[in-house]
Amino acid sequence: MSARTLTCRVETMETLSADVYRLFLRGDPQQILFAPGQYLTLVVQGNHLPFSIANAPNGEGILELHVQYVADSNNARALFEQLHVGADLEVSLAGGESVLELDDPRPLLLIAAGTGFAQMKSIIEASLALHPERPIHLWWAARARSELYMELQARHWAEQHEQFSFTPVVELPGEEDFDGVVERIDNALHDRIQRADEASIFIAGSPGMVYAVVDTLARIEPMAKRIFSDVFSYAPRVQGEDGGS
């Protein structure tokens, strides 16, 4: 599907954490066409700012975004100057090839860092609606637990769906009553995944995080073959380059 530009209105704006906000935009349902896992861009002062679409396609003209405010970013400041309920935003959608294939019967291994969770949320919602029997394992990483801004939603999926499992991962120690993993995400995966060849794998995060995870998966036998990430398109790896986070 080709990208199109349209105007959407900010219907609601919620605070999810100290610096992450959830937006619900409403536009023409006939123009809001996307696949689970795709992203849109908000056009702000001539700049195109990409954000993963956090909801599954619903036919109702609703788009959910998880927007992080970065204080030292000129683009973030310009965007938040425009953000208020009732504001009209110029939206271009949809982009990205890291999408859920609706007829894919394989288990899903979803690995996200930070607001990369937004892309996984869209994929999870679509998969649970279309193939509720498909196993899904979500790994969500952050530096601190407070940055897992929708942890309760992930735990709710795990409680409501037997085939859904959730592993939260944080880097900073000191969490109490935490049943997740305190480790860097690539190390956590290396120590806990025995095989990944049967799954469709989606990774969302910074290029360093994504390639560190790719390298980890490559060391698991047999090697994973179906790995998807938008990073492969916008930050392709230089041949021979080492991974890192």
Side-chain angles (χ1 to χ4, degrees), residues 6 11 20 28 37 57 123 135 137 141 168 170 181 188 208 218-219 225 238 244:
L6 63 150
E11 192 160 80
V20 177
D28 182 351
I123 292 172
H137 192 159
V170 298
V181 180
R219 290 192 291 269
K225 299 177 177 64
V238 177

Side-chain angles (χ1 to χ4, degrees), residues 71-104:
D72 60 355
S73 167
N74 292 333
N75 285 333
R77 289 196 296 270
L79 172 60
F80 275 81
E81 287 175 0
Q82 298 185 21
L83 286 183
H84 58 84
V85 173
D88 289 331
L89 299 177
E90 186 177 352
V91 176
S92 179
L93 81 164
E97 299 177 355
S98 181
V99 302
L100 176 68
E101 297 175 7
L102 300 184
D103 59 350
D104 180 8

Side-chain angles (χ1 to χ4, degrees), residues 11 24-27 32 34 53 55-56 58 60-64:
E11 192 160 80
F24 287 97
L25 311 181
R26 181 177 292 275
I32 294 182
F34 64 95
I53 302 170
N55 60 294
N58 51 38
E60 299 176 0
I62 295 294
L63 296 165
E64 177 183 345

